[in-house]
Amino acid sequence: MNIGIIGGGAVGLLFAAYYGEQHNVVVYCKRKEQAQKITTEGIKLKYEDNYLVVPVSGKGTMEDLKLQELIIIAVKQHQLESLLPLLRTLPRHIPLLFIQNGMGHVSILQSMLQKSIFVGTIEHGAVRMGDRAVSHNGIGKTNIAVFKGGSTVINTFPLLENPLFPVVFNHDYLEMLEAKLIANAVINPLTTLFRVKNGELITNPSYYEIFKQLYHEILKCFPKWDNHYIDDIIKICVNTSKNTSSMLKDMTEGRKTEIEAILGYIVDKGKKESVDIPVARFVYRAIIGMEIERGIRAK
Amino acid sequence: MNIGIIGGGAVGLLFAAYYGEQHNVVVYCKRKEQAQKITTEGIKLKYEDNYLVVPVSGKGTMEDLKLQELIIIAVKQHQLESLLPLLRTLPRHIPLLFIQNGMGHVSILQSMLQKSIFVGTIEHGAVRMGDRAVSHNGIGKTNIAVFKGGSTVINTFPLLENPLFPVVFNHDYLEMLEAKLIANAVINPLTTLFRVKNGELITNPSYYEIFKQLYHEILKCFPKWDNHYIDDIIKICVNTSKNTSSMLKDMTEGRKTEIEAILGYIVDKGKKESVDIPVARFVYRAIIGMEIERGIRAK
């Protein structure tokens, strides 16, 4: 199957490596040097002490995107908008998979004319180690759900038979995205504010109080979710205790974080629905303030 | 006049230097080496590019404390408790001045049998530069009020005629302490959480939103104060914009902060009076968490 992946970040390269083993993969990158390097050297995948090189193509132009049979959009939510005009020109029969964090892109996807649209969430830990190398630090799942096209289109989605990269289907895309959003909204901003690894949020008793405080406040915006979901988020912190969250990594490395897509979405939701969430607003502003302080965001 | 100062920190040394120019001052220190150094070398006071050496005595024992005509207690609030048994043995006629941050010591002072008790708040910027040296980085006021003894005892308090060290009398000790507490409760924990200098709280628009959010929440516990007091706190941030707050300094240097005396007092007040102050609780827990993370406080 011809699969196009837009985005040469950690997630894009991880997908390229695992799908590239069984499919014909092209990675579409912003920088032509990266594209060229991927074409000539392939993706280098590191897992524990193993290295694997997977030959895939890189493209610095989006011209032949319309030849793909599935397109995976692996850019951050705040980079999605600039991509939309291009995606709207694609033949309607090409299925798209969006794997952004947050929920902000849901309203965007509703206006797209594509026949089948999937959304996904990713639980892997992955760090880009250069233009063509990615280190797979934590095995998670890739959760996929049908956003548009009816329940049967899920059968058209290419499965992988690799235990290191399991793909799991979900029936309810909204529940799937909300689960990921709530977990991200608690773990990412707090680890960034305190500049700690994920595990510290539950081993430090005072940070853990804060963790619960923020969780219960956020839940006021998601009344369908019950208090027990916190146990799943605690498990994520246990399983990724030594990981640096993606938001803390973005902040430390001077990149714009996904705070708008994650906590910004919830703060907006609170405002629209008149739910008072002062701590969520505080944490949201703290991360924005840190971005301003570091010159990542304009005043 | 014989003046005893308990505490050889930045504030104790600053008082010793300025009062030592016109009075007979003894500094009571925990460490005998510090006491000896003060006796043999005097207090070295740095102000801008000027250095002044003021001869005063240092004592490593509290034996002759009862010979003093005024005792200034310049230890932190959390160090006060261990000092109380000693203070209770002093002749009742010796006036005491307490210059702790916070309000927690007010209930302690109520049980003391001394005839005259003063409380004070300090606006100076001062940094200890060693056992006997202090740098006076910001000129502020010393505010004094009578806590016990009647309004006329204020006349017994020794004035100084030094424009670098103005002493101002206040009629209402509660108002005076609350003013300092509220300002400290906003500036100190936020600068510590974000690890920024005081000015950043008002020049960074997102931190400034947080500054206002925390201020307005704290004010719910102090209904007599009005919204305009925030202008005074903003002025403090302007005047001390390049200063590192004492709490951030304590945290960075691995010392216990005054969070309990400052925000802890307000969180307790909120609990007792059933005033909901989630952001104040969040910030309080954040600082406690930072202390735990750094091993300054036990889990």
Side-chain angles (χ1 to χ4, degrees), chain A residues 193-196 200 203-204 206-207 209-210 213 278-279 282-283 285-286 288-290 293 299, chain B residues 194-196 200 203-204 206-207 209-210 213 278-279 282-283 285-286 288-290 293 299:
Chain A
L193 182 55
F194 301 131
R195 305 166 212 200
V196 295
E200 186 86 13
T203 55
N204 183 314
S206 201
Y207 290 162
E209 285 299 312
I210 280 173
Q213 191 184 8
V279 167
F282 180 97
V283 176
R285 286 166 173 172
I288 301 280
M290 288 173 77
E293 197 195 324
K299 272 192 187 184
Chain B
F194 300 132
R195 306 165 210 200
V196 295
E200 186 86 13
T203 55
N204 183 315
S206 200
Y207 290 162
E209 286 298 314
I210 280 175
Q213 191 183 8
V279 167
F282 179 97
V283 176
R285 288 166 172 171
I288 299 281
M290 288 173 77
E293 197 194 323
K299 270 193 188 182

mmCIF file of all heavy atoms in Angstrom, chain A residues 193-196 200 203-204 206-207 209-210 213 278-279 282-283 285-286 288-290 293 299, chain B residues 194-196 200 203-204 206-207 209-210 213 278-279 282-283 285-286 288-290 293 299:
data_model
loop_
_atom_site.group_PDB
_atom_site.id
_atom_site.type_symbol
_atom_site.label_atom_id
_atom_site.label_comp_id
_atom_site.label_asym_id
_atom_site.label_seq_id
_atom_site.Cartn_x
_atom_site.Cartn_y
_atom_site.Cartn_z
ATOM 1 N N LEU A 193 5.689 23.028 34.071
ATOM 2 C CA LEU A 193 5.760 24.081 35.082
ATOM 3 C C LEU A 193 6.809 23.753 36.135
ATOM 4 O O LEU A 193 7.612 24.605 36.524
ATOM 5 C CB LEU A 193 4.379 24.242 35.725
ATOM 6 C CG LEU A 193 4.198 25.312 36.788
ATOM 7 C CD1 LEU A 193 4.614 26.681 36.286
ATOM 8 C CD2 LEU A 193 2.746 25.350 37.263
ATOM 9 N N PHE A 194 6.813 22.508 36.606
ATOM 10 C CA PHE A 194 7.754 22.124 37.667
ATOM 11 C C PHE A 194 9.084 21.621 37.118
ATOM 12 O O PHE A 194 10.006 21.358 37.874
ATOM 13 C CB PHE A 194 7.121 21.051 38.565
ATOM 14 C CG PHE A 194 5.841 21.509 39.205
ATOM 15 C CD1 PHE A 194 4.693 20.723 39.168
ATOM 16 C CD2 PHE A 194 5.781 22.738 39.838
ATOM 17 C CE1 PHE A 194 3.513 21.154 39.761
ATOM 18 C CE2 PHE A 194 4.605 23.178 40.436
ATOM 19 C CZ PHE A 194 3.465 22.390 40.389
ATOM 20 N N ARG A 195 9.153 21.451 35.813
ATOM 21 C CA ARG A 195 10.375 20.983 35.140
ATOM 22 C C ARG A 195 10.831 19.635 35.704
ATOM 23 O O ARG A 195 11.976 19.484 36.132
ATOM 24 C CB ARG A 195 11.483 22.039 35.268
ATOM 25 C CG ARG A 195 11.015 23.392 34.751
ATOM 26 C CD ARG A 195 11.890 24.550 35.135
ATOM 27 N NE ARG A 195 11.086 25.757 35.285
ATOM 28 C CZ ARG A 195 11.537 27.000 35.254
ATOM 29 N NH1 ARG A 195 12.815 27.231 35.058
ATOM 30 N NH2 ARG A 195 10.737 28.029 35.421
ATOM 31 N N VAL A 196 9.884 18.713 35.759
ATOM 32 C CA VAL A 196 10.187 17.382 36.309
ATOM 33 C C VAL A 196 9.755 16.288 35.338
ATOM 34 O O VAL A 196 8.939 16.512 34.443
ATOM 35 C CB VAL A 196 9.454 17.156 37.655
ATOM 36 C CG1 VAL A 196 9.980 18.128 38.714
ATOM 37 C CG2 VAL A 196 7.933 17.273 37.506
ATOM 38 N N GLU A 200 7.505 12.140 38.830
ATOM 39 C CA GLU A 200 7.547 13.045 39.986
ATOM 40 C C GLU A 200 6.160 13.566 40.367
ATOM 41 O O GLU A 200 5.897 13.882 41.523
ATOM 42 C CB GLU A 200 8.495 14.215 39.663
ATOM 43 C CG GLU A 200 8.763 15.182 40.806
ATOM 44 C CD GLU A 200 9.902 14.775 41.728
ATOM 45 O OE1 GLU A 200 10.661 13.860 41.365
ATOM 46 O OE2 GLU A 200 10.006 15.359 42.822
ATOM 47 N N THR A 203 5.007 10.754 42.724
ATOM 48 C CA THR A 203 5.844 10.359 43.870
ATOM 49 C C THR A 203 6.043 11.525 44.834
ATOM 50 O O THR A 203 6.275 11.307 46.013
ATOM 51 C CB THR A 203 7.225 9.834 43.415
ATOM 52 O OG1 THR A 203 7.845 10.830 42.597
ATOM 53 C CG2 THR A 203 7.091 8.551 42.627
ATOM 54 N N ASN A 204 5.953 12.733 44.352
ATOM 55 C CA ASN A 204 6.051 13.910 45.225
ATOM 56 C C ASN A 204 4.647 14.206 45.758
ATOM 57 O O ASN A 204 3.744 14.561 45.005
ATOM 58 C CB ASN A 204 6.581 15.096 44.406
ATOM 59 C CG ASN A 204 6.787 16.358 45.236
ATOM 60 O OD1 ASN A 204 5.920 16.736 46.031
ATOM 61 N ND2 ASN A 204 7.911 17.000 45.063
ATOM 62 N N SER A 206 3.157 16.531 47.317
ATOM 63 C CA SER A 206 2.546 17.843 47.127
ATOM 64 C C SER A 206 2.195 18.070 45.647
ATOM 65 O O SER A 206 1.140 18.624 45.317
ATOM 66 C CB SER A 206 3.470 18.943 47.650
ATOM 67 O OG SER A 206 2.744 20.112 47.924
ATOM 68 N N TYR A 207 3.074 17.625 44.756
ATOM 69 C CA TYR A 207 2.732 17.675 43.331
ATOM 70 C C TYR A 207 1.538 16.762 43.053
ATOM 71 O O TYR A 207 0.696 17.061 42.190
ATOM 72 C CB TYR A 207 3.925 17.238 42.461
ATOM 73 C CG TYR A 207 5.081 18.214 42.431
ATOM 74 C CD1 TYR A 207 6.345 17.813 42.006
ATOM 75 C CD2 TYR A 207 4.923 19.545 42.811
ATOM 76 C CE1 TYR A 207 7.418 18.700 41.964
ATOM 77 C CE2 TYR A 207 5.988 20.429 42.779
ATOM 78 C CZ TYR A 207 7.234 19.998 42.357
ATOM 79 O OH TYR A 207 8.293 20.869 42.314
ATOM 80 N N GLU A 209 -0.970 16.183 45.043
ATOM 81 C CA GLU A 209 -2.172 16.934 45.431
ATOM 82 C C GLU A 209 -2.619 17.863 44.301
ATOM 83 O O GLU A 209 -3.792 18.000 43.986
ATOM 84 C CB GLU A 209 -1.891 17.778 46.687
ATOM 85 C CG GLU A 209 -1.824 16.995 47.985
ATOM 86 C CD GLU A 209 -3.135 16.288 48.298
ATOM 87 O OE1 GLU A 209 -4.190 16.921 48.223
ATOM 88 O OE2 GLU A 209 -3.084 15.069 48.594
ATOM 89 N N ILE A 210 -1.620 18.508 43.702
ATOM 90 C CA ILE A 210 -1.880 19.424 42.583
ATOM 91 C C ILE A 210 -2.434 18.663 41.380
ATOM 92 O O ILE A 210 -3.367 19.113 40.712
ATOM 93 C CB ILE A 210 -0.569 20.156 42.223
ATOM 94 C CG1 ILE A 210 -0.335 21.294 43.210
ATOM 95 C CG2 ILE A 210 -0.579 20.645 40.794
ATOM 96 C CD1 ILE A 210 0.999 21.978 43.056
ATOM 97 N N GLN A 213 -5.910 17.970 42.050
ATOM 98 C CA GLN A 213 -6.676 19.218 42.017
ATOM 99 C C GLN A 213 -6.982 19.625 40.576
ATOM 100 O O GLN A 213 -8.122 19.942 40.230
ATOM 101 C CB GLN A 213 -5.865 20.321 42.718
ATOM 102 C CG GLN A 213 -6.640 21.606 42.989
ATOM 103 C CD GLN A 213 -5.764 22.713 43.601
ATOM 104 O OE1 GLN A 213 -4.543 22.587 43.704
ATOM 105 N NE2 GLN A 213 -6.398 23.807 43.993
ATOM 106 N N PRO A 278 -10.485 27.862 37.720
ATOM 107 C CA PRO A 278 -9.390 28.823 37.971
ATOM 108 C C PRO A 278 -8.001 28.200 37.930
ATOM 109 O O PRO A 278 -7.058 28.839 37.447
ATOM 110 C CB PRO A 278 -9.709 29.368 39.375
ATOM 111 C CG PRO A 278 -10.662 28.400 39.994
ATOM 112 C CD PRO A 278 -11.426 27.778 38.854
ATOM 113 N N VAL A 279 -7.868 26.983 38.441
ATOM 114 C CA VAL A 279 -6.539 26.361 38.461
ATOM 115 C C VAL A 279 -6.087 26.024 37.037
ATOM 116 O O VAL A 279 -4.929 26.232 36.681
ATOM 117 C CB VAL A 279 -6.539 25.109 39.369
ATOM 118 C CG1 VAL A 279 -5.282 24.284 39.160
ATOM 119 C CG2 VAL A 279 -6.671 25.524 40.831
ATOM 120 N N PHE A 282 -4.956 29.175 35.574
ATOM 121 C CA PHE A 282 -3.652 29.516 36.142
ATOM 122 C C PHE A 282 -2.532 28.760 35.424
ATOM 123 O O PHE A 282 -1.539 29.344 34.997
ATOM 124 C CB PHE A 282 -3.649 29.181 37.644
ATOM 125 C CG PHE A 282 -2.354 29.483 38.341
ATOM 126 C CD1 PHE A 282 -2.180 30.661 39.042
ATOM 127 C CD2 PHE A 282 -1.294 28.587 38.295
ATOM 128 C CE1 PHE A 282 -0.985 30.943 39.685
ATOM 129 C CE2 PHE A 282 -0.087 28.866 38.927
ATOM 130 C CZ PHE A 282 0.063 30.045 39.623
ATOM 131 N N VAL A 283 -2.710 27.455 35.285
ATOM 132 C CA VAL A 283 -1.650 26.628 34.697
ATOM 133 C C VAL A 283 -1.461 26.983 33.217
ATOM 134 O O VAL A 283 -0.334 27.081 32.724
ATOM 135 C CB VAL A 283 -1.970 25.125 34.869
ATOM 136 C CG1 VAL A 283 -0.922 24.266 34.184
ATOM 137 C CG2 VAL A 283 -2.056 24.765 36.358
ATOM 138 N N ARG A 285 -2.006 29.891 31.832
ATOM 139 C CA ARG A 285 -1.282 31.165 31.779
ATOM 140 C C ARG A 285 0.189 30.994 32.166
ATOM 141 O O ARG A 285 1.059 31.709 31.659
ATOM 142 C CB ARG A 285 -1.934 32.154 32.747
ATOM 143 C CG ARG A 285 -3.252 32.680 32.254
ATOM 144 C CD ARG A 285 -3.999 33.372 33.381
ATOM 145 N NE ARG A 285 -5.203 34.018 32.878
ATOM 146 C CZ ARG A 285 -6.115 34.562 33.662
ATOM 147 N NH1 ARG A 285 -5.981 34.522 34.975
ATOM 148 N NH2 ARG A 285 -7.188 35.128 33.125
ATOM 149 N N ALA A 286 0.449 30.078 33.077
ATOM 150 C CA ALA A 286 1.837 29.849 33.494
ATOM 151 C C ALA A 286 2.680 29.368 32.313
ATOM 152 O O ALA A 286 3.800 29.839 32.103
ATOM 153 C CB ALA A 286 1.881 28.837 34.639
ATOM 154 N N ILE A 288 1.981 29.717 29.058
ATOM 155 C CA ILE A 288 2.093 30.823 28.094
ATOM 156 C C ILE A 288 3.163 31.808 28.581
ATOM 157 O O ILE A 288 3.997 32.279 27.795
ATOM 158 C CB ILE A 288 0.728 31.559 27.963
ATOM 159 C CG1 ILE A 288 -0.366 30.604 27.497
ATOM 160 C CG2 ILE A 288 0.850 32.791 27.059
ATOM 161 C CD1 ILE A 288 -0.402 30.330 26.038
ATOM 162 N N GLY A 289 3.146 32.112 29.875
ATOM 163 C CA GLY A 289 4.142 33.032 30.446
ATOM 164 C C GLY A 289 5.557 32.514 30.262
ATOM 165 O O GLY A 289 6.471 33.277 29.932
ATOM 166 N N MET A 290 5.738 31.207 30.447
ATOM 167 C CA MET A 290 7.068 30.614 30.255
ATOM 168 C C MET A 290 7.501 30.735 28.794
ATOM 169 O O MET A 290 8.681 30.974 28.497
ATOM 170 C CB MET A 290 7.060 29.136 30.681
ATOM 171 C CG MET A 290 6.984 28.931 32.191
ATOM 172 S SD MET A 290 6.777 27.159 32.675
ATOM 173 C CE MET A 290 8.454 26.534 32.444
ATOM 174 N N GLU A 293 8.526 34.343 28.285
ATOM 175 C CA GLU A 293 9.804 34.575 28.973
ATOM 176 C C GLU A 293 10.974 34.081 28.128
ATOM 177 O O GLU A 293 12.037 34.699 28.115
ATOM 178 C CB GLU A 293 9.742 33.809 30.295
ATOM 179 C CG GLU A 293 10.761 34.205 31.335
ATOM 180 C CD GLU A 293 10.816 33.127 32.421
ATOM 181 O OE1 GLU A 293 9.747 32.546 32.761
ATOM 182 O OE2 GLU A 293 11.919 32.852 32.902
ATOM 183 N N LYS A 299 4.937 38.829 23.135
ATOM 184 C CA LYS A 299 4.192 39.365 24.282
ATOM 185 C C LYS A 299 2.771 39.709 23.907
ATOM 186 O O LYS A 299 2.514 40.182 22.829
ATOM 187 C CB LYS A 299 4.874 40.634 24.797
ATOM 188 C CG LYS A 299 5.938 40.308 25.814
ATOM 189 C CD LYS A 299 6.413 41.560 26.541
ATOM 190 C CE LYS A 299 7.602 41.196 27.425
ATOM 191 N NZ LYS A 299 8.057 42.318 28.227
ATOM 192 N N PHE B 194 8.084 30.463 39.124
ATOM 193 C CA PHE B 194 8.545 30.711 37.750
ATOM 194 C C PHE B 194 10.061 30.954 37.681
ATOM 195 O O PHE B 194 10.609 31.075 36.595
ATOM 196 C CB PHE B 194 7.799 31.906 37.153
ATOM 197 C CG PHE B 194 6.313 31.698 37.105
ATOM 198 C CD1 PHE B 194 5.438 32.679 37.554
ATOM 199 C CD2 PHE B 194 5.781 30.510 36.647
ATOM 200 C CE1 PHE B 194 4.071 32.474 37.530
ATOM 201 C CE2 PHE B 194 4.417 30.292 36.617
ATOM 202 C CZ PHE B 194 3.562 31.286 37.073
ATOM 203 N N ARG B 195 10.687 31.081 38.843
ATOM 204 C CA ARG B 195 12.143 31.311 38.918
ATOM 205 C C ARG B 195 12.541 32.568 38.161
ATOM 206 O O ARG B 195 13.431 32.562 37.307
ATOM 207 C CB ARG B 195 12.906 30.081 38.378
ATOM 208 C CG ARG B 195 12.463 28.809 39.097
ATOM 209 C CD ARG B 195 12.875 27.527 38.428
ATOM 210 N NE ARG B 195 11.894 26.481 38.705
ATOM 211 C CZ ARG B 195 12.119 25.181 38.608
ATOM 212 N NH1 ARG B 195 13.279 24.741 38.218
ATOM 213 N NH2 ARG B 195 11.154 24.308 38.878
ATOM 214 N N VAL B 196 11.826 33.648 38.467
ATOM 215 C CA VAL B 196 12.081 34.920 37.778
ATOM 216 C C VAL B 196 12.283 36.036 38.797
ATOM 217 O O VAL B 196 11.901 35.911 39.965
ATOM 218 C CB VAL B 196 10.902 35.308 36.849
ATOM 219 C CG1 VAL B 196 10.754 34.298 35.722
ATOM 220 C CG2 VAL B 196 9.592 35.453 37.628
ATOM 221 N N GLU B 200 9.533 40.631 36.411
ATOM 222 C CA GLU B 200 8.939 39.776 35.373
ATOM 223 C C GLU B 200 7.454 39.527 35.631
ATOM 224 O O GLU B 200 6.681 39.301 34.698
ATOM 225 C CB GLU B 200 9.708 38.454 35.324
ATOM 226 C CG GLU B 200 9.321 37.504 34.212
ATOM 227 C CD GLU B 200 10.030 37.737 32.886
ATOM 228 O OE1 GLU B 200 11.023 38.496 32.865
ATOM 229 O OE2 GLU B 200 9.583 37.195 31.853
ATOM 230 N N THR B 203 5.929 42.582 33.845
ATOM 231 C CA THR B 203 6.270 42.866 32.443
ATOM 232 C C THR B 203 5.847 41.721 31.521
ATOM 233 O O THR B 203 5.604 41.935 30.340
ATOM 234 C CB THR B 203 7.777 43.125 32.261
ATOM 235 O OG1 THR B 203 8.496 42.014 32.791
ATOM 236 C CG2 THR B 203 8.213 44.384 32.988
ATOM 237 N N ASN B 204 5.752 40.524 32.056
ATOM 238 C CA ASN B 204 5.280 39.381 31.261
ATOM 239 C C ASN B 204 3.758 39.348 31.363
ATOM 240 O O ASN B 204 3.211 39.123 32.443
ATOM 241 C CB ASN B 204 5.894 38.097 31.829
ATOM 242 C CG ASN B 204 5.532 36.849 31.040
ATOM 243 O OD1 ASN B 204 4.364 36.665 30.677
ATOM 244 N ND2 ASN B 204 6.493 35.997 30.784
ATOM 245 N N SER B 206 1.394 37.374 30.660
ATOM 246 C CA SER B 206 0.694 36.187 31.126
ATOM 247 C C SER B 206 0.960 35.971 32.624
ATOM 248 O O SER B 206 0.055 35.608 33.379
ATOM 249 C CB SER B 206 1.124 34.963 30.305
ATOM 250 O OG SER B 206 0.176 33.937 30.403
ATOM 251 N N TYR B 207 2.188 36.222 33.054
ATOM 252 C CA TYR B 207 2.471 36.169 34.505
ATOM 253 C C TYR B 207 1.664 37.265 35.218
ATOM 254 O O TYR B 207 1.224 37.080 36.356
ATOM 255 C CB TYR B 207 3.965 36.359 34.784
ATOM 256 C CG TYR B 207 4.844 35.213 34.368
ATOM 257 C CD1 TYR B 207 6.224 35.379 34.220
ATOM 258 C CD2 TYR B 207 4.329 33.946 34.151
ATOM 259 C CE1 TYR B 207 7.051 34.327 33.854
ATOM 260 C CE2 TYR B 207 5.151 32.880 33.773
ATOM 261 C CZ TYR B 207 6.512 33.087 33.618
ATOM 262 O OH TYR B 207 7.329 32.048 33.249
ATOM 263 N N GLU B 209 -1.287 38.343 34.424
ATOM 264 C CA GLU B 209 -2.657 37.823 34.597
ATOM 265 C C GLU B 209 -2.730 36.943 35.839
ATOM 266 O O GLU B 209 -3.687 37.001 36.625
ATOM 267 C CB GLU B 209 -3.075 36.996 33.373
ATOM 268 C CG GLU B 209 -3.401 37.802 32.131
ATOM 269 C CD GLU B 209 -4.586 38.736 32.339
ATOM 270 O OE1 GLU B 209 -5.595 38.282 32.886
ATOM 271 O OE2 GLU B 209 -4.462 39.925 31.988
ATOM 272 N N ILE B 210 -1.724 36.107 35.999
ATOM 273 C CA ILE B 210 -1.651 35.204 37.150
ATOM 274 C C ILE B 210 -1.509 35.993 38.451
ATOM 275 O O ILE B 210 -2.140 35.692 39.463
ATOM 276 C CB ILE B 210 -0.448 34.249 36.957
ATOM 277 C CG1 ILE B 210 -0.846 33.129 36.003
ATOM 278 C CG2 ILE B 210 0.058 33.703 38.284
ATOM 279 C CD1 ILE B 210 0.293 32.200 35.636
ATOM 280 N N GLN B 213 -4.780 37.302 39.259
ATOM 281 C CA GLN B 213 -5.659 36.196 39.655
ATOM 282 C C GLN B 213 -5.401 35.804 41.109
ATOM 283 O O GLN B 213 -6.342 35.667 41.907
ATOM 284 C CB GLN B 213 -5.408 34.991 38.725
ATOM 285 C CG GLN B 213 -6.426 33.861 38.845
ATOM 286 C CD GLN B 213 -6.088 32.658 37.962
ATOM 287 O OE1 GLN B 213 -5.019 32.583 37.348
ATOM 288 N NE2 GLN B 213 -6.997 31.706 37.902
ATOM 289 N N PRO B 278 -8.770 28.177 45.459
ATOM 290 C CA PRO B 278 -8.059 27.062 44.818
ATOM 291 C C PRO B 278 -6.694 27.438 44.249
ATOM 292 O O PRO B 278 -5.757 26.636 44.303
ATOM 293 C CB PRO B 278 -9.014 26.619 43.698
ATOM 294 C CG PRO B 278 -9.953 27.756 43.488
ATOM 295 C CD PRO B 278 -10.067 28.458 44.808
ATOM 296 N N VAL B 279 -6.574 28.636 43.696
ATOM 297 C CA VAL B 279 -5.291 29.022 43.096
ATOM 298 C C VAL B 279 -4.242 29.218 44.191
ATOM 299 O O VAL B 279 -3.090 28.791 44.044
ATOM 300 C CB VAL B 279 -5.452 30.288 42.230
ATOM 301 C CG1 VAL B 279 -4.094 30.869 41.859
ATOM 302 C CG2 VAL B 279 -6.246 29.958 40.966
ATOM 303 N N PHE B 282 -3.166 25.878 45.183
ATOM 304 C CA PHE B 282 -2.294 25.335 44.138
ATOM 305 C C PHE B 282 -0.866 25.867 44.296
ATOM 306 O O PHE B 282 0.104 25.102 44.285
ATOM 307 C CB PHE B 282 -2.850 25.722 42.757
ATOM 308 C CG PHE B 282 -2.019 25.225 41.602
ATOM 309 C CD1 PHE B 282 -2.361 24.055 40.950
ATOM 310 C CD2 PHE B 282 -0.912 25.920 41.175
ATOM 311 C CE1 PHE B 282 -1.598 23.586 39.891
ATOM 312 C CE2 PHE B 282 -0.134 25.464 40.119
ATOM 313 C CZ PHE B 282 -0.485 24.297 39.474
ATOM 314 N N VAL B 283 -0.740 27.180 44.447
ATOM 315 C CA VAL B 283 0.596 27.787 44.516
ATOM 316 C C VAL B 283 1.316 27.348 45.791
ATOM 317 O O VAL B 283 2.511 27.035 45.775
ATOM 318 C CB VAL B 283 0.496 29.327 44.434
ATOM 319 C CG1 VAL B 283 1.871 29.960 44.597
ATOM 320 C CG2 VAL B 283 -0.131 29.750 43.109
ATOM 321 N N ARG B 285 0.899 24.515 47.396
ATOM 322 C CA ARG B 285 1.350 23.136 47.186
ATOM 323 C C ARG B 285 2.538 23.069 46.225
ATOM 324 O O ARG B 285 3.403 22.193 46.346
ATOM 325 C CB ARG B 285 0.208 22.301 46.615
ATOM 326 C CG ARG B 285 -0.877 22.020 47.622
ATOM 327 C CD ARG B 285 -2.125 21.500 46.939
ATOM 328 N NE ARG B 285 -3.100 21.050 47.918
ATOM 329 C CZ ARG B 285 -4.343 20.702 47.616
ATOM 330 N NH1 ARG B 285 -4.756 20.748 46.355
ATOM 331 N NH2 ARG B 285 -5.167 20.314 48.549
ATOM 332 N N ALA B 286 2.543 23.965 45.263
ATOM 333 C CA ALA B 286 3.653 23.965 44.290
ATOM 334 C C ALA B 286 4.978 24.259 44.997
ATOM 335 O O ALA B 286 5.988 23.596 44.740
ATOM 336 C CB ALA B 286 3.392 24.993 43.186
ATOM 337 N N ILE B 288 5.654 23.899 48.252
ATOM 338 C CA ILE B 288 5.952 22.758 49.132
ATOM 339 C C ILE B 288 6.549 21.620 48.285
ATOM 340 O O ILE B 288 7.542 20.996 48.669
ATOM 341 C CB ILE B 288 4.663 22.256 49.827
ATOM 342 C CG1 ILE B 288 4.046 23.358 50.697
ATOM 343 C CG2 ILE B 288 4.943 20.975 50.643
ATOM 344 C CD1 ILE B 288 4.684 23.574 52.023
ATOM 345 N N GLY B 289 5.942 21.380 47.124
ATOM 346 C CA GLY B 289 6.442 20.331 46.220
ATOM 347 C C GLY B 289 7.869 20.603 45.778
ATOM 348 O O GLY B 289 8.697 19.684 45.712
ATOM 349 N N MET B 290 8.177 21.858 45.484
ATOM 350 C CA MET B 290 9.545 22.211 45.079
ATOM 351 C C MET B 290 10.516 21.962 46.235
ATOM 352 O O MET B 290 11.649 21.512 46.023
ATOM 353 C CB MET B 290 9.617 23.684 44.633
ATOM 354 C CG MET B 290 8.946 23.955 43.287
ATOM 355 S SD MET B 290 8.866 25.745 42.867
ATOM 356 C CE MET B 290 10.573 26.047 42.350
ATOM 357 N N GLU B 293 11.009 18.221 46.389
ATOM 358 C CA GLU B 293 11.835 17.799 45.250
ATOM 359 C C GLU B 293 13.321 18.049 45.522
ATOM 360 O O GLU B 293 14.173 17.248 45.131
ATOM 361 C CB GLU B 293 11.374 18.613 44.036
ATOM 362 C CG GLU B 293 11.791 18.097 42.703
ATOM 363 C CD GLU B 293 11.572 19.183 41.658
ATOM 364 O OE1 GLU B 293 10.575 19.942 41.755
ATOM 365 O OE2 GLU B 293 12.424 19.293 40.759
ATOM 366 N N LYS B 299 9.218 14.200 52.686
ATOM 367 C CA LYS B 299 7.986 13.832 51.977
ATOM 368 C C LYS B 299 6.813 13.727 52.932
ATOM 369 O O LYS B 299 6.970 13.216 54.032
ATOM 370 C CB LYS B 299 8.188 12.492 51.278
ATOM 371 C CG LYS B 299 8.725 12.691 49.876
ATOM 372 C CD LYS B 299 8.635 11.408 49.078
ATOM 373 C CE LYS B 299 9.383 11.607 47.739
ATOM 374 N NZ LYS B 299 9.313 10.445 46.897
#
